[in-house]
Amino acid sequence: MHGLSRLGNGNSNGRINLSSPSPPSSPRIRHSRGKSLAGGVYKQGLGERLVFLLFSIVFRRKGVLLLAPLLYIAGMLLFMGSFGFTVLDLGHGVEIVYRRGGPPGSVYRSPKVFKRLWPLMEADVNGTSHNVLMEVWKPRVKSIWKPCISTNVSAAGSNSNGYFIIEANGGLNQQRLSICDAVAVAGLLNATLVIPIFHLNSVWRDSSKFGDIFDEDFFIYALSKNVNVVKELPKDILERYNYNISSIVNLRLKAWSSPAYYLQKVLPQLLRLGAVRVAPFSNRLAHAVPAHIQGLRCLANFEALRFAEPIRLLAEKMVNRMVTKSVQSGGKYVSVHLRFEMDMVAFSCCEYDFGKAEKLEMDMARERGWKGKFRRRGRVIRPGANRIDGKCPLTPLEVGMMLRGMGFNNSTLVYVAAGNIYKADKYMAPLRQMFPLLQTKDTLATPEELAPFKGHSSRLAALDYTVCLHSEVFVSTQGGNFPHFLIGHRRYLYKGHAETIKPDKRKLVQLLDKPSIRWDYFKKQMQDMLRHNDAKGVELRKPAASLYTFPMPDCMCKEPDPEPQTDPA
């Protein structure tokens, strides 16, 4: 299905977790440890001597229970001592560890590989006119799903138990999560939901209100049969609290609270006070809730939340322009969510050019964005380990090589959804070289069209979201709320299939750390990765997973498989 028809039909390991422990900032002082040779005679290092001592203690005292942890410690010491590390010390107990040489995949060598393979990529394109975009997803007859929210949603109660007020924080899709969960909680409590308040986030710095991003009137209308929603508190409630919403009791709820918790702890307060407030309201409802509550989540996310008219109108123009520009491929295009902004690179604690200037720049960015978080005592940064583990953001070059390896040729129209790319002139150049028809919102829309959205990151993200939603292929490179919601939305629109490429970054960094790798071998590995993504496109939600990413079976119903046709006798 091409982009134009997708628009007509329409109505997010490498993931970042800001609450999880993070490594420290870049260090300044360099030390080294490892083997040494003196007079041509090998001297046993401290690590190896300690290994020998540990083994002696274990076997002399037969401390069988100590064997496993001691072997682990010994192995780590031997690994560091034998192969060599560079340890940079920040002071205050903060270190950064680099592996000299490094195991496969630990060092960013992709530019070398690209330089050697580029002539072969070009020759490959010149030798064939085939573009995998024309047949990227296998046709499916079975496992076809369709939306069926109405069967799982209960009607709103006649008498409201009070007013439920929430404050949504974070970026566009973190706010979306809070809104949809608030709808579900309001339904559970038979409460009237007040249009959510948006918190001015220190990272996103977007002052937009609900109505600036979402269609407020449509939201109220779409939920009217199931949850009562009002734009503001009635006068009598406001008078009770001296017209100051912050005077309304703010309930501190634990994360992922169960429906039983809300009924036992929140409902009595709601009935007693007439209004309660939860600020901030983020990840405050468990994934596993009764079907009729899940149905409210489905209704809110996939039907009630549509973007405000100014966003919708420009986004529709942008999709139509992408379709027009991709006429050679039947109106089909690829969208890429590229997470290579400075804050993402800094937060990942990964390295790309290994220079002192980059280390200093990333150190400053971490301190600016997360004051003190990366300077806590005992934190250790291991850029190589992060890369091997698939936690480093893919560079534009790596995304381009992956797509070319999968069979997307240089006539493919690619839309890049991103913020301000780190050192864009340097890092975007190879991607433009591989895909000269590349587009962004800045090339697809005029400066005059974008002017009302500048300075409002959530509104700009809504434009990216819409263009990505209607692409033939969506590429997620780093995780986060944007691809998580987008993948679920695509499943909801496209019969249960995400039609998304989620790279195996652990495998990819290994391949791109081989300067001598053959182009035909790299292509085969990428094509296998594409087939794997096609096979995993249809997935049912597991108990601990989110229906915003996996809407089946909570929000969708499986169509009966067609009966096999038999020849008439």
Side-chain angles (χ1 to χ4, degrees), residues 55-120:
F55 272 102
S56 300
I57 293 172
V58 168
F59 289 109
R60 185 180 304 160
R61 300 191 177 186
K62 298 181 181 181
V64 177
L65 294 178
L66 293 175
L67 182 61
L70 287 176
L71 281 176
Y72 175 78
I73 295 169
M76 290 299 292
L77 289 170
L78 183 62
F79 182 67
M80 294 177 70
S82 298
F83 296 101
F85 279 77
T86 297
V87 181
L88 304 181
D89 188 2
L90 270 176
H92 307 293
V94 178
E95 293 182 338
I96 182 168
V97 179
Y98 298 98
R99 176 80 185 282
R100 293 199 299 273
S106 64
V107 179
Y108 178 64
R109 295 192 178 96
S110 304
K112 271 188 187 175
V113 179
F114 172 67
K115 185 177 180 180
R116 197 183 70 80
L117 293 183
W118 173 243
L120 301 175

Side-chain angles (χ1 to χ4, degrees), residues 446-514:
T446 67
E448 293 75 21
E449 288 173 324
L450 288 174
F453 302 91
K454 291 295 185 181
H456 300 285
S457 59
S458 291
R459 300 185 212 182
L460 291 170
L463 296 175
D464 279 340
Y465 186 98
T466 305
V467 179
C468 291
L469 182 62
H470 297 292
S471 62
E472 181 70 16
V473 177
F474 171 61
V475 182
S476 170
T477 63
Q478 185 62 18
N481 283 315
F482 185 102
H484 291 169
F485 273 85
L486 191 66
I487 289 169
H489 207 155
R490 289 173 66 85
R491 284 191 168 113
Y492 187 78
L493 291 182
Y494 307 138
K495 300 179 180 179
H497 198 296
E499 301 189 355
T500 293
I501 295 170
K502 293 179 67 178
D504 181 346
K505 293 200 288 184
R506 291 188 180 94
K507 178 178 181 179
L508 191 58
V509 299
Q510 298 281 338
L511 294 170
L512 292 175
D513 196 19
K514 299 176 180 177

